[in-house]
Amino acid sequence: MPEKTMRDAINEALHQAMTEDDSVFVIGEDVAGCQGAEGETGSVGGVFGVTGGIYNKWPDRCIDTPISESAIVGAAAGAALVGMRPVAEIMFADFIGVCMDQIINQMGKFRYMFGGKSKCPAVIRFASGGGFSAAGQHSQAMYQVMTSFPGLKVVIPSNAYDAKGLMLTAIQDDDPVLFFEPKVLYQETAEVPDEMYTIPFGEANFVREGDDVTVVAFGQMVPKAAAAIDALADEGISCDLIDPRTSSPLDTGAILESVEATGRLVVVDEAPPRCGLTADIAGLAADKAFKSLKGPIKQVCAPHSPTPFAPELEAAYIPDAGKITAAIKETLA
Amino acid sequence: MPEKTMRDAINEALHQAMTEDDSVFVIGEDVAGCQGAEGETGSVGGVFGVTGGIYNKWPDRCIDTPISESAIVGAAAGAALVGMRPVAEIMFADFIGVCMDQIINQMGKFRYMFGGKSKCPAVIRFASGGGFSAAGQHSQAMYQVMTSFPGLKVVIPSNAYDAKGLMLTAIQDDDPVLFFEPKVLYQETAEVPDEMYTIPFGEANFVREGDDVTVVAFGQMVPKAAAAIDALADEGISCDLIDPRTSSPLDTGAILESVEATGRLVVVDEAPPRCGLTADIAGLAADKAFKSLKGPIKQVCAPHSPTPFAPELEAAYIPDAGKITAAIKETLA
Amino acid sequence: MAIPKEKLLQAYRMMKTIREFEERVNAEIMNGQIAGFTHLYTGQEANAVGVCEHLTDADTIISTHRGHGHCIAKGADVIGMMKELFGSSAGLCKGKGGSMHVADVDKGILGANGIVAGGPPISVGSALAAKIRGDNHVAVSFSGDGSVNQGTCFEAMNMAVVLNVPAIFVIENNYYSEHTSINYAVGCDDLKARTEAFGFPVFVADGSDFFAVYEAAGKAIEHARAGNGPAGVFAEQGRYHGHFVGDPQSYRGEGELDELREKYDPLKNFRAKMAETGEVSGEELDAVDAEVLALIDQAVEEAKAAPRPTAEEVTQDVYINYA
Amino acid sequence: MAIPKEKLLQAYRMMKTIREFEERVNAEIMNGQIAGFTHLYTGQEANAVGVCEHLTDADTIISTHRGHGHCIAKGADVIGMMKELFGSSAGLCKGKGGSMHVADVDKGILGANGIVAGGPPISVGSALAAKIRGDNHVAVSFSGDGSVNQGTCFEAMNMAVVLNVPAIFVIENNYYSEHTSINYAVGCDDLKARTEAFGFPVFVADGSDFFAVYEAAGKAIEHARAGNGPAGVFAEQGRYHGHFVGDPQSYRGEGELDELREKYDPLKNFRAKMAETGEVSGEELDAVDAEVLALIDQAVEEAKAAPRPTAEEVTQDVYINYA
Ligand SMILES: Cc1ncc(C[n+]2csc(CCOP(=O)(O)OP(=O)(O)O)c2C)c(N)n1
Ligand SMILES: Cc1ncc(C[n+]2csc(CCOP(=O)(O)OP(=O)(O)O)c2C)c(N)n1
Ligand SMILES: [Mg+2]
Ligand SMILES: [Mg+2]
């Protein structure tokens, strides 16, 4: 199978969905690029390059916008309400701050408030998370916050293969989907089939299988957790590594089954600790798998601080394999 | 001691703080009222009446605004950066959607991004939570979401006495404080001293003391949990009821000590379940008090749905004493 | 612009329906029959009807917290609406939305909206869909004089111009946002000019005069439908009730409400005009009144008898599918 | 408006400091010495300096993602800034903020800002503080031609008028927001008029001419300081580098950059003007150049040798106190 980067895998999904379905369009800042300028329109394809080539094929369905995130999300939500399948790009997940109402109070609540008589099949894409020394306002995961809101689905791919399949699912899904792309993974490659395929929401991926500890990790933490777990094999410790892939819906069945088998749980995420996904899953297990638990549930996450700028500080901020290893050992102690 | 409503208790705190300190001012929509109109300016005092009487005493420090929540929070943040102590009102906590950037990426991160060389002593007040048949966009707690963001302090009073003391602490505090007023409690009364007093952040209140189960509850859930617990006394079940009063900072010591003593934990909040405070505290105990746990940690909260309109639906949505009682019994089972 | 008689009768019927619906809702709130926050449209009927009479089901509107009038004018089922306000599971939104979220997407009603200026960005999306599809539908958003100060409203206006989409921004100036006058909350002296500065024409109308609104809205909608991009309608007319039911209205000047009801009543003005032109007789209008009253009576009666929602329904209708 | 010689020299020194700072930062990024996203101000120096030369430490500015120039012009310690960009714990923000968050509140610098249009609302707060206190300080916010389309910017403008506070909105039109032209992103034809429609005067200047900006900013600041409410400055001038370091600039027309550097260089233009008026000699300006180069050399040298932050520092400086 061909190797592709996560960026290219998502781009391919967009191209294929747009080929298949006229109602799909992309919208966002510089998703085409050079609008109104002398340079060639379409030559940008998004600041992270994820929408490359779309304008050239479908100029009418590649909508560049002013810097107006509320209007971007609103435009996607409104178009979706009347039957289109927009894929909007919000450049950095941190910018949810300037468009949150349109996401949580509008798009995410239409169906419920309207008594189940509408659908809003919009996808909003975000480049998410740390790893670029981009400091406090350009490094946040944000998906943990969005998981809190009913009416939204939340996707966090951890590799190129999943990214393509999840994006195709997202576009076909009839509910609003928030799609968080860990930007530090854009250049990472995996084997990605050329044809279209989907990955169902709410179905976790077992990245590793083992007996001693269940490790649940999200997004860019998945490869780090895998590295930690692989190194522990030498010490005779074997772990399940579960990548939920979607935090809403969450595959609680897979997590609980694994914890029931291992009796031990470590949850890993890059967001700060309070009211995040690590607590969310720890809380789930502490209720529903309580009887099986043999050790404390450990959460590995960033500290309760904004993301710092300096590379050394950021490296200390984002959980690494060392911290994951330590947590696995602690729950076994 | 005189009985006062929560509304009046907060109002009194504002009046006293403004009398004492010239740098305190209030700002928000209709905090005075009738601006530009023929009616008497100041006659409104906030749509919930919390800022009543302020304009009449200090017209220059009672700032009515257009409907521009980002500008309101920004104005508070900017004034605080240069040494004022603003108390801004955002009418409903749900409106965080239209001003979140100013709260989480600006106000809450200045100090860190600026290397500890600034302070931003702003207070933002919100009427929060359900109970008014106000449906999906006027009923959210929202404080669980804000707890996720480092740099902010988050206060949730559950009675008039605490509300006054916590507000006075909030105004004196040198960090940004988000103050969530459960609007369904505005009319509830408690004994409230006339003089000024403060209640430290991060110090939980033991509303009830008992041996069998630790119950942690927030805001409007505190009186409901107390009712449930009082009724269980007849059945010979006794509970600690802990009201953290601030979710950030959180009095982890008090919670863990209690759980270590009882071995059982029920956490109650009105927000939906995902990535909320009930999971947050369950996760804390499942790690730090694991050895003491004798039963599953139960979370009592709203379902993963927006808040419905119809009174019957809302009553089924917001946790009540019955659900709390059931959870206490489950963890004992 | 001669309006056919049938359309005149229809316009009057709509305005009267809104009026009686609102007055009855007001009464039922006082009776304790309707819960939640309710904002009445009485007095502003000509705006909603003057605009919506130009629209088909395929055109969309998005409304505000003060949404009953717009929804009725756009063809929402009045009985379903009344049931919704009463919180019945047979309501238009199954009792989940209530007054602030009345909607009927099939009729092009993208909902009342509890967030001030929540609507305009969504309306731009509906207009964008029309542009991409190449049909000639338009998308109308209603905003109040207070709503226009919210950032999302400005963003939507600029974006509509940039994307050249058929979005129509109807600004209803009823002089107040809650308890604050437009004189205070809109900083500039000329809101129409501030709106036009975004780059689209704004047509002004006396909001107490159906014919004026109908004409202005017609121009705006024609402009947008023809592919010339967004347009605005700016109409002034006070509301008769408080901001919400229960508002003491301390902001009103002396005699203000009396004057509004006296001189600026869209229904009275319509009747006067008809008396003048003779296009429709008083008797014909009386007949409409009777029909409307009967309809509203029936709506309230049915709403009172309608089924109440049960606890299982709380978690339904959040998603279409959720694993 | 005759400008004293000392001030002329100071203005030139500031512009030159910005120029050399930016060029050196560009080089050090290429060398892999500076991490993160960096946006350079080269070419726009006259705006920052023309505005800030009117301000005292008690006046505030708030900047954008492209913040180095504004911070230097407002008096930020250049060596501390360089250390910050290098991520040193001895940097102005202890290595926690970096390029997008350079700040020095004691000098009235409320920070660069990574959120487009994050600044204007905060600046209105600073202006409001001045009004409440009754001092005559002003608050300046800088916005780009792209930033003005963000809702927060509009809200801030209207609010500043409503509250009648001394807020100055400086709009720097460098023709692009990222890879998109102002011709596309600002829907109307006349951004100055759209801004004025909010209800305050906007003074226009050629942004490549220090004297023009100084004059326009002087008028705006005077207006605000005198208690007349907000004012605007609108200055046009291209940037010489890409949007961020590494931008291939595919949006540029042929010869565009050459022309900018040739005809619209604020430093060249300043020198030309001085040669014309004779107020400051070429030798004097050469001496400033030498001083500035030495300063920037020193800054980079010190930044390279400056202490690196350690892991414990990650959790410091979040709060003043936190139980
Ligand atoms: C974002 C937001 N802020 C504040 C409110 C509270 N609120 C509801 S209606 C209203 C006034 C709206 O005034 P206007 O736009 O003039 O509409 P009108 O009520 O006059 O029809 C306010 C402030 C809200 N619902 N949403
Ligand atoms: C809310 C938000 N949206 C988008 C961005 C990404 N972004 C950073 S700078 C920029 C362009 C800003 O253009 P302009 O205001 O003209 O300033 P300039 O870069 O030209 O100085 C964009 C889109 C951001 N930082 N914040
Ligand atoms: Mg109004
Ligand atoms: Mg620009």
Side-chain angles (χ1 to χ4, degrees):
Chain A
M1 247 192 295
E3 289 263 329
K4 290 166 196 162
T5 62
M6 183 186 278
R7 166 188 294 111
D8 291 342
I10 300 170
N11 180 260
E12 188 170 274
L14 295 174
H15 277 266
Q16 293 177 335
M18 291 186 71
T19 303
E20 235 191 19
D21 183 348
D22 275 359
S23 65
V24 180
F25 69 93
V26 300
I27 181 168
E29 295 158 20
D30 285 316
V31 291
C34 300
Q35 287 282 17
E38 291 193 32
E40 190 199 337
T41 309
S43 60
V44 176
V47 291
F48 294 104
V50 177
T51 55
I54 295 179
Y55 181 86
N56 312 78
K57 286 196 215 161
W58 302 283
D60 297 342
R61 290 194 277 145
C62 185
I63 314 292
D64 256 330
T65 69
I67 310 175
S68 305
E69 280 79 5
S70 286
I72 295 170
V73 177
L81 259 188
V82 299
M84 302 292 285
R85 293 191 177 272
V87 182
E89 172 171 312
I90 296 296
M91 209 176 285
F92 287 79
D94 314 67
F95 305 164
I96 284 174
V98 293
C99 57
M100 186 159 98
D101 181 70
Q102 290 292 325
I103 301 175
I104 66 156
N105 285 331
Q106 309 297 341
M107 193 172 81
K109 292 196 175 83
F110 288 147
R111 184 171 173 79
Y112 193 76
M113 297 188 308
F114 300 173
K117 293 177 187 164
S118 64
K119 64 180 192 179
C120 188
V123 180
I124 318 286
R125 299 176 39 243
F126 307 88
S128 154
F132 275 119
S133 271
Q137 296 173 336
H138 285 74
S139 303
Q140 295 167 95
M142 296 303 288
Y143 47 72
Q144 85 283 10
V145 173
M146 292 295 111
T147 302
S148 192
F149 292 97
L152 301 166
K153 292 176 176 171
V154 179
V155 184
I156 312 137
S158 71
N159 62 71
Y161 175 86
D162 285 356
K164 179 174 173 184
L166 291 166
M167 178 52 79
L168 287 169
T169 305
I171 293 172
Q172 287 165 22
D173 198 280
D174 280 334
D175 290 312
V177 178
L178 308 183
F179 199 92
F180 289 88
E181 302 164 7
K183 57 182 173 284
V184 83
L185 301 180
Y186 274 136
Q187 286 291 73
E188 298 299 313
T189 59
E191 293 195 340
V192 177
D194 289 335
E195 52 277 11
M196 291 177 87
Y197 58 95
T198 56
I199 295 174
F201 289 172
E203 252 182 49
N205 179 28
F206 278 75
V207 181
R208 296 286 184 277
E209 305 206 18
D211 303 315
D212 302 317
V213 178
T214 300
V215 178
V216 178
F218 290 90
Q220 67 154 301
M221 291 296 110
V222 174
K224 294 196 183 189
I229 288 168
D230 292 346
L232 281 169
D234 293 346
E235 302 182 34
I237 300 171
S238 85
C239 302
D240 267 354
L241 172 54
I242 299 180
D243 172 2
R245 299 195 286 208
T246 59
S247 63
S248 182
L250 180 70
D251 189 347
T252 55
I255 295 169
L256 291 173
E257 236 174 79
S258 171
V259 174
E260 275 153 19
T262 63
R264 307 189 191 266
L265 175 61
V266 173
V267 200
V268 189
D269 188 36
E270 66 169 303
R274 302 302 313 284
C275 295
L277 279 165
T278 59
D280 187 76
I281 289 170
L284 169 76
D287 177 7
K288 298 289 196 282
F290 178 75
K291 289 238 168 76
S292 321
L293 286 177
K294 292 186 268 185
I297 301 176
K298 288 289 163 190
Q299 300 179 38
V300 184
C301 46
H304 186 65
S305 321
T307 315
F309 162 67
E312 293 91 332
L313 293 175
E314 194 185 29
Y317 179 83
I318 300 177
D320 57 16
K323 283 183 190 143
I324 299 168
T325 307
I328 292 172
K329 289 188 174 170
E330 273 180 80
T331 191
L332 282 164
Chain B
M1 251 193 294
E3 289 262 330
K4 292 167 195 163
T5 63
M6 184 187 278
R7 168 188 292 110
D8 291 342
I10 300 169
N11 180 261
E12 187 171 273
L14 294 175
H15 277 266
Q16 292 177 335
M18 291 187 71
T19 303
E20 239 194 13
D21 184 349
D22 275 357
S23 65
V24 180
F25 69 95
V26 301
I27 180 168
E29 294 158 19
D30 286 315
V31 292
C34 300
Q35 287 281 16
E38 289 193 35
E40 191 197 339
T41 309
S43 61
V44 176
V47 291
F48 293 104
V50 177
T51 55
I54 294 179
Y55 182 86
N56 312 77
K57 284 196 215 164
W58 302 283
D60 298 342
R61 289 195 278 144
C62 186
I63 314 292
D64 256 331
T65 70
I67 310 175
S68 306
E69 281 78 4
S70 286
I72 294 170
V73 177
L81 259 188
V82 299
M84 303 291 286
R85 294 191 176 273
V87 181
E89 172 170 312
I90 297 296
M91 210 177 283
F92 287 79
D94 314 68
F95 305 165
I96 284 174
V98 292
C99 57
M100 186 160 95
D101 182 70
Q102 291 291 326
I103 300 175
I104 65 156
N105 285 329
Q106 310 296 341
M107 194 172 80
K109 292 195 175 81
F110 288 146
R111 183 170 174 80
Y112 192 75
M113 297 189 306
F114 300 173
K117 293 177 187 164
S118 64
K119 62 180 195 180
C120 187
V123 180
I124 318 286
R125 298 177 39 246
F126 307 88
S128 156
F132 275 121
S133 270
Q137 297 174 335
H138 285 74
S139 303
Q140 295 166 94
M142 296 301 288
Y143 47 74
Q144 86 282 12
V145 173
M146 292 295 112
T147 302
S148 191
F149 292 97
L152 301 166
K153 292 176 175 172
V154 179
V155 183
I156 313 136
S158 70
N159 62 73
Y161 175 85
D162 285 355
K164 178 174 173 183
L166 291 165
M167 178 53 80
L168 287 168
T169 304
I171 294 172
Q172 287 165 24
D173 197 281
D174 280 334
D175 291 312
V177 177
L178 308 183
F179 200 93
F180 290 88
E181 301 163 8
K183 57 183 173 285
V184 82
L185 301 180
Y186 274 137
Q187 286 290 74
E188 298 299 311
T189 58
E191 294 196 338
V192 177
D194 289 334
E195 52 277 11
M196 291 176 88
Y197 59 96
T198 57
I199 295 174
F201 289 172
E203 253 181 48
N205 180 28
F206 278 75
V207 182
R208 295 285 185 277
E209 305 206 16
D211 303 316
D212 302 318
V213 178
T214 301
V215 179
V216 178
F218 290 90
Q220 67 154 303
M221 290 298 110
V222 174
K224 295 198 183 187
I229 288 168
D230 292 346
L232 282 169
D234 293 346
E235 304 183 33
I237 300 171
S238 85
C239 302
D240 267 355
L241 172 55
I242 299 180
D243 172 3
R245 299 196 284 209
T246 60
S247 63
S248 182
L250 180 70
D251 190 348
T252 55
I255 295 168
L256 291 173
E257 235 174 80
S258 170
V259 175
E260 275 153 20
T262 62
R264 307 191 191 264
L265 175 61
V266 173
V267 199
V268 190
D269 188 36
E270 67 169 303
R274 302 302 312 285
C275 296
L277 279 165
T278 59
D280 187 77
I281 288 168
L284 169 77
D287 177 8
K288 298 288 198 284
F290 178 73
K291 289 238 170 76
S292 319
L293 286 178
K294 291 185 269 186
I297 301 176
K298 288 288 165 192
Q299 300 178 40
V300 184
C301 45
H304 186 65
S305 321
T307 315
F309 161 67
E312 293 91 332
L313 293 175
E314 194 184 30
Y317 180 82
I318 301 177
D320 57 16
K323 285 184 187 143
I324 299 168
T325 307
I328 292 171
K329 288 188 175 171
E330 274 181 79
T331 191
L332 281 164
Chain C
M1 185 165 39
I3 306 176
K5 179 165 180 178
E6 205 170 311
K7 201 157 182 89
L8 288 171
L9 278 167
Q10 170 65 3
Y12 181 78
R13 177 178 292 109
M14 280 297 161
M15 293 202 292
K16 182 73 181 171
T17 306
I18 296 170
R19 172 70 53 93
E20 294 306 326
F21 186 91
E22 296 297 61
E23 292 304 323
R24 197 56 184 271
V25 165
N26 193 40
E28 296 300 335
I29 291 171
M30 300 304 182
N31 291 341
Q33 295 280 322
I34 294 177
F37 300 130
T38 316
H39 310 81
L40 302 177
Y41 193 68
T42 318
Q44 305 183 238
E45 296 87 353
N47 291 337
V49 177
V51 171
C52 292
E53 280 302 316
H54 292 282
L55 306 177
T56 72
D57 279 1
D59 299 317
T60 63
I61 65 160
I62 194 160
S63 173
T64 67
H65 56 288
R66 195 176 305 288
H68 308 164
H70 307 132
C71 294
I72 292 174
K74 189 66 174 39
D77 169 39
V78 171
I79 297 178
M81 274 180 64
M82 191 65 85
K83 288 180 182 165
E84 183 60 28
L85 267 62
F86 275 73
S88 162
S89 51
L92 202 53
C93 305
K94 299 190 191 162
K96 284 177 172 155
S99 167
M100 283 195 283
H101 307 295
V102 174
D104 189 342
V105 173
D106 290 339
K107 290 241 163 69
I109 302 168
L110 306 188
N113 204 308
I115 302 295
V116 163
I122 299 162
S123 190
V124 169
S126 172
L128 174 61
K131 185 184 170 195
I132 293 177
R133 287 171 172 152
D135 57 39
N136 71 344
H137 304 147
V138 300
V140 174
S141 59
F142 292 92
S143 300
D145 52 289
S147 168
V148 292
N149 299 313
Q150 181 73 247
T152 50
C153 190
F154 298 120
E155 285 190 15
M157 289 177 178
N158 181 55
M159 183 102 119
V161 177
V162 170
L163 303 183
N164 195 45
V165 294
I168 290 119
F169 298 94
V170 179
I171 300 177
E172 298 185 272
N173 177 12
N174 62 8
Y175 316 123
Y176 301 98
S177 49
E178 287 192 356
H179 316 274
T180 296
S181 165
I182 182 173
N183 300 329
Y184 180 81
V186 170
C188 68
D189 293 331
D190 185 349
L191 177 56
K192 183 218 178 214
R194 186 176 90 180
T195 308
E196 279 190 317
F198 278 79
F200 55 85
V202 175
F203 302 92
V204 177
D206 171 350
S208 72
D209 176 357
F210 164 79
F211 298 94
V213 176
Y214 185 77
E215 192 184 327
K219 286 181 191 160
I221 291 167
E222 203 178 288
H223 173 94
R225 242 194 244 290
N228 300 314
V233 175
F234 187 79
E236 284 191 21
Q237 165 60 358
R239 57 174 152 73
Y240 293 175
H241 288 283
H243 169 64
F244 54 93
V245 179
D247 172 8
Q249 306 190 61
S250 62
Y251 43 84
R252 298 270 189 202
E254 233 192 271
E256 180 178 323
L257 274 177
D258 293 338
E259 195 189 344
L260 272 180
R261 286 185 186 268
E262 193 50 53
K263 295 202 201 142
Y264 301 100
D265 182 334
L267 292 158
K268 273 196 203 158
N269 291 353
F270 189 98
R271 274 185 174 262
K273 180 81 172 264
M274 289 303 97
E276 211 182 286
T277 68
E279 288 167 280
V280 179
S281 73
E283 291 69 37
E284 285 170 305
L285 295 173
D286 291 345
V288 171
D289 285 359
E291 276 170 45
V292 167
L293 280 170
L295 173 67
I296 301 296
D297 278 345
Q298 185 196 346
V300 171
E301 207 170 297
E302 286 194 29
K304 285 184 179 165
R308 303 304 306 172
T310 55
E312 318 84 72
E313 294 172 43
V314 167
T315 52
Q316 294 166 4
D317 300 320
V318 183
Y319 298 95
I320 292 180
N321 64 70
Y322 197 70
Chain D
M1 184 166 41
I3 306 176
K5 179 164 180 179
E6 205 170 311
K7 200 154 183 93
L8 289 172
L9 278 167
Q10 169 66 4
Y12 181 78
R13 176 176 292 109
M14 280 296 162
M15 293 203 291
K16 183 72 181 170
T17 306
I18 296 170
R19 172 69 54 92
E20 294 305 325
F21 186 91
E22 296 297 60
E23 291 305 322
R24 197 56 184 272
V25 165
N26 194 39
E28 296 299 334
I29 293 171
M30 299 306 181
N31 291 339
Q33 295 279 322
I34 293 178
F37 300 129
T38 316
H39 310 82
L40 302 177
Y41 194 66
T42 318
Q44 304 183 237
E45 296 86 352
N47 291 339
V49 177
V51 171
C52 291
E53 279 302 315
H54 292 284
L55 305 176
T56 71
D57 280 1
D59 298 318
T60 63
I61 65 161
I62 194 159
S63 173
T64 67
H65 57 288
R66 197 176 303 288
H68 308 164
H70 307 132
C71 294
I72 291 174
K74 189 67 172 39
D77 172 36
V78 171
I79 298 178
M81 274 180 66
M82 191 64 85
K83 288 180 182 165
E84 184 61 28
L85 267 64
F86 274 73
S88 163
S89 51
L92 202 54
C93 304
K94 299 190 191 162
K96 283 177 173 155
S99 168
M100 283 195 285
H101 306 296
V102 174
D104 189 342
V105 174
D106 290 339
K107 290 241 163 68
I109 302 168
L110 306 187
N113 204 308
I115 302 295
V116 162
I122 299 163
S123 191
V124 169
S126 172
L128 174 61
K131 185 184 170 194
I132 293 177
R133 287 171 173 152
D135 56 41
N136 71 344
H137 305 146
V138 300
V140 174
S141 60
F142 291 92
S143 301
D145 52 289
S147 168
V148 293
N149 300 313
Q150 180 74 245
T152 50
C153 191
F154 298 119
E155 285 190 15
M157 289 176 177
N158 181 56
M159 182 102 119
V161 177
V162 170
L163 303 184
N164 195 44
V165 293
I168 290 119
F169 299 95
V170 179
I171 301 177
E172 298 186 273
N173 176 12
N174 62 10
Y175 315 123
Y176 301 99
S177 50
E178 289 193 355
H179 316 274
T180 297
S181 165
I182 181 172
N183 299 329
Y184 180 81
V186 170
C188 69
D189 293 330
D190 185 348
L191 177 55
K192 183 217 176 214
R194 185 177 91 180
T195 308
E196 279 190 317
F198 279 79
F200 55 85
V202 175
F203 302 91
V204 177
D206 171 351
S208 72
D209 177 356
F210 165 78
F211 298 94
V213 177
Y214 186 77
E215 193 184 326
K219 285 181 191 158
I221 291 168
E222 204 177 289
H223 173 92
R225 243 194 244 294
N228 300 315
V233 176
F234 187 79
E236 283 191 21
Q237 164 61 358
R239 56 174 153 73
Y240 292 175
H241 289 282
H243 170 63
F244 55 91
V245 179
D247 171 8
Q249 304 190 62
S250 61
Y251 42 85
R252 298 271 188 200
E254 233 191 271
E256 181 178 322
L257 274 177
D258 294 337
E259 196 190 343
L260 272 180
R261 286 185 186 270
E262 193 51 52
K263 296 204 202 137
Y264 302 98
D265 182 334
L267 291 158
K268 272 195 204 155
N269 291 354
F270 190 96
R271 274 185 174 262
K273 180 82 173 261
M274 288 304 98
E276 209 182 290
T277 67
E279 287 167 281
V280 179
S281 73
E283 291 70 37
E284 285 170 306
L285 296 173
D286 291 345
V288 170
D289 285 0
E291 272 169 48
V292 167
L293 280 169
L295 173 66
I296 300 298
D297 278 344
Q298 185 197 346
V300 171
E301 206 171 297
E302 284 194 31
K304 286 183 177 166
R308 305 302 307 172
T310 56
E312 316 85 70
E313 293 172 43
V314 168
T315 51
Q316 295 165 5
D317 301 319
V318 183
Y319 297 96
I320 293 180
N321 63 70
Y322 196 70

